[in-house]
Amino acid sequence: EIVLTQSPSTLSLSPGETATLSCRASQSVRSYLGWYQQKPGQAPKLLIYDASNRATGIPARFSGSGSGTDFTLTISSLEPEDFAVYYCQQRINWPPITFGQGTRLEIK
Amino acid sequence: QVQLQEAGPGLVKPSETLSLTCTVSGGSMSSYYWSWIRQSPGKGLEWIGYMYYSGSTSHNPSLKTRVTISVDTSKNQFSLNLSSVTAADTAVYYCASWNTAMVPYYFDSWGQGIQVTVSS
């Protein structure tokens, strides 16, 4: 089973700043990594698939990069609605499909 | 994207079977892979398994012997049965899906989630 480790666990920033979130895989997942956003009381929402492709309707301020074992989600010019929990997920080695433990992005 | 809605009991007794149903609207049952995912404070997001209408299926090895996922195309529903539950199975359960025309194994449609508590 591939373990995904996200860092930091909590990130405190102000609106307008840039957020950089990390996801590290226990073995290579090539580019088969996605990112989700989850707000309180809601289901996760797909943001990025295959490392760098934005899902339908996702604003351009969300971007993903990386390959192999190290991945980054960058959110530029943070909007108030961007403060949420973010999860990474791999799809190369399954079962099982696995998720990271999440990074909480909070308002400073 | 399809719309998904979970239904089922919010409280299940230990050793019994947890049964949930997900009703699908806005899409064909043959155009998606149907999945269950759960979320608990202790274990985060945990993929349970998926099923395609043709019968193709896969489950999380950690749950495999206790999980049954089925699809009923006539009712536009798919279901989860999890047997011999314990307190560790307490979680919010989500039904989710991906379109066969899209990149597989990323979940672009989710239900709102249903809290299931295992307790006597």
Side-chain angles (χ1 to χ4, degrees), chain A residues 35-37 45-49 53-64 73-75 82 86, chain B residues 1 108:
Chain A
W35 291 92
Y36 295 81
Q37 176 193 68
K45 177 183 179 181
L46 180 65
L47 299 175
I48 301 286
Y49 64 92
N53 299 284
R54 278 188 300 276
T56 303
I58 302 304
R61 66 180 182 274
F62 291 90
S63 63
L73 173 69
T74 301
I75 313 170
D82 298 336
Y86 292 84
Chain B
Q1 294 177 348
D108 59 358

mmCIF file of all heavy atoms in Angstrom, chain A residues 35-37 45-49 53-64 73-75 82 86, chain B residues 1 108:
data_model
loop_
_atom_site.group_PDB
_atom_site.id
_atom_site.type_symbol
_atom_site.label_atom_id
_atom_site.label_comp_id
_atom_site.label_asym_id
_atom_site.label_seq_id
_atom_site.Cartn_x
_atom_site.Cartn_y
_atom_site.Cartn_z
ATOM 1 N N TRP A 35 -5.569 16.026 -6.221
ATOM 2 C CA TRP A 35 -5.786 16.863 -5.039
ATOM 3 C C TRP A 35 -7.279 17.163 -4.895
ATOM 4 O O TRP A 35 -7.976 17.395 -5.889
ATOM 5 C CB TRP A 35 -5.040 18.181 -5.169
ATOM 6 C CG TRP A 35 -3.548 18.075 -5.109
ATOM 7 C CD1 TRP A 35 -2.686 17.919 -6.166
ATOM 8 C CD2 TRP A 35 -2.728 18.141 -3.933
ATOM 9 N NE1 TRP A 35 -1.394 17.875 -5.711
ATOM 10 C CE2 TRP A 35 -1.389 18.019 -4.349
ATOM 11 C CE3 TRP A 35 -3.000 18.309 -2.575
ATOM 12 C CZ2 TRP A 35 -0.318 18.040 -3.455
ATOM 13 C CZ3 TRP A 35 -1.942 18.328 -1.690
ATOM 14 C CH2 TRP A 35 -0.617 18.199 -2.127
ATOM 15 N N TYR A 36 -7.741 17.185 -3.653
ATOM 16 C CA TYR A 36 -9.126 17.495 -3.329
ATOM 17 C C TYR A 36 -9.162 18.609 -2.292
ATOM 18 O O TYR A 36 -8.260 18.732 -1.463
ATOM 19 C CB TYR A 36 -9.845 16.277 -2.732
ATOM 20 C CG TYR A 36 -10.000 15.120 -3.683
ATOM 21 C CD1 TYR A 36 -8.951 14.234 -3.894
ATOM 22 C CD2 TYR A 36 -11.188 14.894 -4.362
ATOM 23 C CE1 TYR A 36 -9.080 13.158 -4.761
ATOM 24 C CE2 TYR A 36 -11.337 13.824 -5.235
ATOM 25 C CZ TYR A 36 -10.274 12.963 -5.422
ATOM 26 O OH TYR A 36 -10.400 11.896 -6.278
ATOM 27 N N GLN A 37 -10.255 19.356 -2.304
ATOM 28 C CA GLN A 37 -10.542 20.377 -1.303
ATOM 29 C C GLN A 37 -11.789 19.933 -0.538
ATOM 30 O O GLN A 37 -12.774 19.520 -1.151
ATOM 31 C CB GLN A 37 -10.817 21.715 -1.988
ATOM 32 C CG GLN A 37 -11.231 22.841 -1.069
ATOM 33 C CD GLN A 37 -11.786 24.020 -1.873
ATOM 34 O OE1 GLN A 37 -12.850 23.929 -2.478
ATOM 35 N NE2 GLN A 37 -11.067 25.129 -1.875
ATOM 36 N N LYS A 45 -13.899 17.753 -2.937
ATOM 37 C CA LYS A 45 -14.108 18.212 -4.309
ATOM 38 C C LYS A 45 -12.810 18.052 -5.079
ATOM 39 O O LYS A 45 -11.752 18.517 -4.614
ATOM 40 C CB LYS A 45 -14.540 19.673 -4.305
ATOM 41 C CG LYS A 45 -14.716 20.311 -5.671
ATOM 42 C CD LYS A 45 -15.085 21.786 -5.505
ATOM 43 C CE LYS A 45 -15.244 22.495 -6.826
ATOM 44 N NZ LYS A 45 -15.584 23.924 -6.635
ATOM 45 N N LEU A 46 -12.868 17.418 -6.225
ATOM 46 C CA LEU A 46 -11.665 17.207 -7.028
ATOM 47 C C LEU A 46 -11.176 18.533 -7.612
ATOM 48 O O LEU A 46 -11.930 19.252 -8.266
ATOM 49 C CB LEU A 46 -11.959 16.213 -8.153
ATOM 50 C CG LEU A 46 -10.801 15.883 -9.091
ATOM 51 C CD1 LEU A 46 -9.684 15.164 -8.349
ATOM 52 C CD2 LEU A 46 -11.287 15.037 -10.274
ATOM 53 N N LEU A 47 -9.901 18.831 -7.361
ATOM 54 C CA LEU A 47 -9.273 20.049 -7.894
ATOM 55 C C LEU A 47 -8.324 19.738 -9.059
ATOM 56 O O LEU A 47 -8.364 20.384 -10.104
ATOM 57 C CB LEU A 47 -8.451 20.739 -6.801
ATOM 58 C CG LEU A 47 -9.149 21.220 -5.553
ATOM 59 C CD1 LEU A 47 -8.102 21.758 -4.573
ATOM 60 C CD2 LEU A 47 -10.184 22.283 -5.877
ATOM 61 N N ILE A 48 -7.437 18.804 -8.824
ATOM 62 C CA ILE A 48 -6.333 18.499 -9.731
ATOM 63 C C ILE A 48 -6.275 16.997 -9.935
ATOM 64 O O ILE A 48 -6.433 16.237 -8.979
ATOM 65 C CB ILE A 48 -4.984 18.969 -9.141
ATOM 66 C CG1 ILE A 48 -4.981 20.477 -8.878
ATOM 67 C CG2 ILE A 48 -3.808 18.550 -10.045
ATOM 68 C CD1 ILE A 48 -4.867 21.353 -10.106
ATOM 69 N N TYR A 49 -6.042 16.563 -11.176
ATOM 70 C CA TYR A 49 -5.821 15.142 -11.431
ATOM 71 C C TYR A 49 -4.544 14.957 -12.221
ATOM 72 O O TYR A 49 -4.105 15.860 -12.945
ATOM 73 C CB TYR A 49 -7.020 14.503 -12.127
ATOM 74 C CG TYR A 49 -7.315 15.040 -13.518
ATOM 75 C CD1 TYR A 49 -6.769 14.438 -14.648
ATOM 76 C CD2 TYR A 49 -8.133 16.149 -13.690
ATOM 77 C CE1 TYR A 49 -7.032 14.923 -15.912
ATOM 78 C CE2 TYR A 49 -8.407 16.642 -14.951
ATOM 79 C CZ TYR A 49 -7.857 16.028 -16.053
ATOM 80 O OH TYR A 49 -8.127 16.516 -17.313
ATOM 81 N N ASN A 53 -3.299 18.664 -13.839
ATOM 82 C CA ASN A 53 -4.474 18.991 -14.657
ATOM 83 C C ASN A 53 -5.633 19.452 -13.778
ATOM 84 O O ASN A 53 -6.061 18.720 -12.881
ATOM 85 C CB ASN A 53 -4.906 17.761 -15.459
ATOM 86 C CG ASN A 53 -3.831 17.291 -16.406
ATOM 87 O OD1 ASN A 53 -3.602 17.877 -17.456
ATOM 88 N ND2 ASN A 53 -3.140 16.216 -16.025
ATOM 89 N N ARG A 54 -6.112 20.660 -14.042
ATOM 90 C CA ARG A 54 -7.245 21.148 -13.261
ATOM 91 C C ARG A 54 -8.529 20.456 -13.685
ATOM 92 O O ARG A 54 -8.793 20.265 -14.887
ATOM 93 C CB ARG A 54 -7.400 22.663 -13.434
ATOM 94 C CG ARG A 54 -6.473 23.491 -12.536
ATOM 95 C CD ARG A 54 -6.820 24.972 -12.618
ATOM 96 N NE ARG A 54 -6.678 25.486 -13.969
ATOM 97 C CZ ARG A 54 -5.542 25.904 -14.489
ATOM 98 N NH1 ARG A 54 -4.438 25.851 -13.776
ATOM 99 N NH2 ARG A 54 -5.510 26.359 -15.717
ATOM 100 N N ALA A 55 -9.338 20.098 -12.703
ATOM 101 C CA ALA A 55 -10.646 19.519 -12.998
ATOM 102 C C ALA A 55 -11.577 20.601 -13.544
ATOM 103 O O ALA A 55 -11.274 21.799 -13.458
ATOM 104 C CB ALA A 55 -11.233 18.894 -11.731
ATOM 105 N N THR A 56 -12.681 20.172 -14.074
ATOM 106 C CA THR A 56 -13.633 21.099 -14.695
ATOM 107 C C THR A 56 -14.089 22.169 -13.718
ATOM 108 O O THR A 56 -14.507 21.856 -12.592
ATOM 109 C CB THR A 56 -14.857 20.325 -15.213
ATOM 110 O OG1 THR A 56 -14.436 19.319 -16.135
ATOM 111 C CG2 THR A 56 -15.839 21.273 -15.889
ATOM 112 N N GLY A 57 -13.976 23.416 -14.132
ATOM 113 C CA GLY A 57 -14.483 24.519 -13.338
ATOM 114 C C GLY A 57 -13.567 25.017 -12.235
ATOM 115 O O GLY A 57 -13.944 25.924 -11.485
ATOM 116 N N ILE A 58 -12.387 24.452 -12.120
ATOM 117 C CA ILE A 58 -11.458 24.860 -11.065
ATOM 118 C C ILE A 58 -10.671 26.091 -11.510
ATOM 119 O O ILE A 58 -10.095 26.089 -12.605
ATOM 120 C CB ILE A 58 -10.509 23.706 -10.698
ATOM 121 C CG1 ILE A 58 -11.312 22.485 -10.240
ATOM 122 C CG2 ILE A 58 -9.511 24.152 -9.634
ATOM 123 C CD1 ILE A 58 -12.250 22.734 -9.081
ATOM 124 N N PRO A 59 -10.637 27.136 -10.673
ATOM 125 C CA PRO A 59 -9.951 28.380 -11.073
ATOM 126 C C PRO A 59 -8.459 28.175 -11.308
ATOM 127 O O PRO A 59 -7.832 27.283 -10.725
ATOM 128 C CB PRO A 59 -10.184 29.298 -9.864
ATOM 129 C CG PRO A 59 -11.355 28.729 -9.142
ATOM 130 C CD PRO A 59 -11.309 27.255 -9.365
ATOM 131 N N ALA A 60 -7.911 29.045 -12.127
ATOM 132 C CA ALA A 60 -6.508 28.933 -12.530
ATOM 133 C C ALA A 60 -5.539 29.210 -11.387
ATOM 134 O O ALA A 60 -4.343 28.898 -11.498
ATOM 135 C CB ALA A 60 -6.231 29.892 -13.691
ATOM 136 N N ARG A 61 -6.027 29.791 -10.274
ATOM 137 C CA ARG A 61 -5.121 30.035 -9.143
ATOM 138 C C ARG A 61 -4.699 28.743 -8.461
ATOM 139 O O ARG A 61 -3.761 28.720 -7.680
ATOM 140 C CB ARG A 61 -5.745 30.990 -8.124
ATOM 141 C CG ARG A 61 -6.962 30.470 -7.406
ATOM 142 C CD ARG A 61 -7.475 31.530 -6.409
ATOM 143 N NE ARG A 61 -8.629 31.063 -5.651
ATOM 144 C CZ ARG A 61 -9.882 31.167 -6.070
ATOM 145 N NH1 ARG A 61 -10.133 31.724 -7.256
ATOM 146 N NH2 ARG A 61 -10.882 30.723 -5.324
ATOM 147 N N PHE A 62 -5.370 27.648 -8.783
ATOM 148 C CA PHE A 62 -4.986 26.329 -8.272
ATOM 149 C C PHE A 62 -4.082 25.662 -9.314
ATOM 150 O O PHE A 62 -4.470 25.494 -10.475
ATOM 151 C CB PHE A 62 -6.203 25.450 -8.032
ATOM 152 C CG PHE A 62 -7.072 25.891 -6.894
ATOM 153 C CD1 PHE A 62 -8.118 26.779 -7.112
ATOM 154 C CD2 PHE A 62 -6.841 25.439 -5.599
ATOM 155 C CE1 PHE A 62 -8.922 27.210 -6.067
ATOM 156 C CE2 PHE A 62 -7.639 25.852 -4.551
ATOM 157 C CZ PHE A 62 -8.678 26.739 -4.782
ATOM 158 N N SER A 63 -2.892 25.269 -8.893
ATOM 159 C CA SER A 63 -2.008 24.568 -9.807
ATOM 160 C C SER A 63 -1.284 23.452 -9.074
ATOM 161 O O SER A 63 -1.021 23.533 -7.874
ATOM 162 C CB SER A 63 -0.997 25.522 -10.443
ATOM 163 O OG SER A 63 -0.160 26.092 -9.461
ATOM 164 N N GLY A 64 -0.998 22.391 -9.812
ATOM 165 C CA GLY A 64 -0.301 21.255 -9.242
ATOM 166 C C GLY A 64 0.960 20.947 -10.022
ATOM 167 O O GLY A 64 1.040 21.213 -11.223
ATOM 168 N N LEU A 73 0.813 21.318 -4.354
ATOM 169 C CA LEU A 73 -0.378 22.066 -4.753
ATOM 170 C C LEU A 73 -0.113 23.518 -4.378
ATOM 171 O O LEU A 73 0.191 23.813 -3.218
ATOM 172 C CB LEU A 73 -1.620 21.554 -4.037
ATOM 173 C CG LEU A 73 -2.902 22.378 -4.260
ATOM 174 C CD1 LEU A 73 -3.388 22.241 -5.703
ATOM 175 C CD2 LEU A 73 -4.011 21.949 -3.284
ATOM 176 N N THR A 74 -0.227 24.396 -5.351
ATOM 177 C CA THR A 74 -0.021 25.818 -5.123
ATOM 178 C C THR A 74 -1.326 26.560 -5.345
ATOM 179 O O THR A 74 -2.005 26.337 -6.358
ATOM 180 C CB THR A 74 1.061 26.371 -6.068
ATOM 181 O OG1 THR A 74 2.290 25.659 -5.856
ATOM 182 C CG2 THR A 74 1.296 27.857 -5.800
ATOM 183 N N ILE A 75 -1.674 27.388 -4.388
ATOM 184 C CA ILE A 75 -2.867 28.225 -4.514
ATOM 185 C C ILE A 75 -2.385 29.669 -4.444
ATOM 186 O O ILE A 75 -1.902 30.123 -3.397
ATOM 187 C CB ILE A 75 -3.894 27.959 -3.399
ATOM 188 C CG1 ILE A 75 -4.113 26.462 -3.203
ATOM 189 C CG2 ILE A 75 -5.215 28.663 -3.719
ATOM 190 C CD1 ILE A 75 -4.927 26.113 -1.964
ATOM 191 N N ASP A 82 -10.996 29.743 -0.127
ATOM 192 C CA ASP A 82 -9.972 28.712 -0.308
ATOM 193 C C ASP A 82 -9.542 28.067 1.006
ATOM 194 O O ASP A 82 -8.828 27.061 1.011
ATOM 195 C CB ASP A 82 -8.738 29.282 -1.003
ATOM 196 C CG ASP A 82 -9.041 29.800 -2.398
ATOM 197 O OD1 ASP A 82 -10.027 29.342 -3.008
ATOM 198 O OD2 ASP A 82 -8.287 30.678 -2.874
ATOM 199 N N TYR A 86 -7.146 20.150 2.504
ATOM 200 C CA TYR A 86 -6.747 19.641 1.200
ATOM 201 C C TYR A 86 -6.136 18.245 1.353
ATOM 202 O O TYR A 86 -5.324 18.007 2.255
ATOM 203 C CB TYR A 86 -5.755 20.591 0.531
ATOM 204 C CG TYR A 86 -6.407 21.905 0.156
ATOM 205 C CD1 TYR A 86 -6.533 22.935 1.087
ATOM 206 C CD2 TYR A 86 -6.923 22.100 -1.116
ATOM 207 C CE1 TYR A 86 -7.169 24.124 0.757
ATOM 208 C CE2 TYR A 86 -7.556 23.285 -1.463
ATOM 209 C CZ TYR A 86 -7.677 24.299 -0.511
ATOM 210 O OH TYR A 86 -8.311 25.473 -0.853
ATOM 211 N N GLN B 1 -21.603 15.874 -14.436
ATOM 212 C CA GLN B 1 -21.477 15.121 -13.198
ATOM 213 C C GLN B 1 -22.842 14.653 -12.715
ATOM 214 O O GLN B 1 -23.833 15.359 -12.849
ATOM 215 C CB GLN B 1 -20.836 15.988 -12.116
ATOM 216 C CG GLN B 1 -19.392 16.378 -12.410
ATOM 217 C CD GLN B 1 -18.816 17.290 -11.349
ATOM 218 O OE1 GLN B 1 -19.539 17.817 -10.510
ATOM 219 N NE2 GLN B 1 -17.526 17.512 -11.392
ATOM 220 N N ASP B 108 -15.015 12.529 -9.134
ATOM 221 C CA ASP B 108 -15.468 13.875 -9.467
ATOM 222 C C ASP B 108 -16.922 14.122 -9.084
ATOM 223 O O ASP B 108 -17.428 15.228 -9.246
ATOM 224 C CB ASP B 108 -15.244 14.191 -10.950
ATOM 225 C CG ASP B 108 -15.969 13.239 -11.882
ATOM 226 O OD1 ASP B 108 -16.625 12.302 -11.379
ATOM 227 O OD2 ASP B 108 -15.886 13.431 -13.103
#
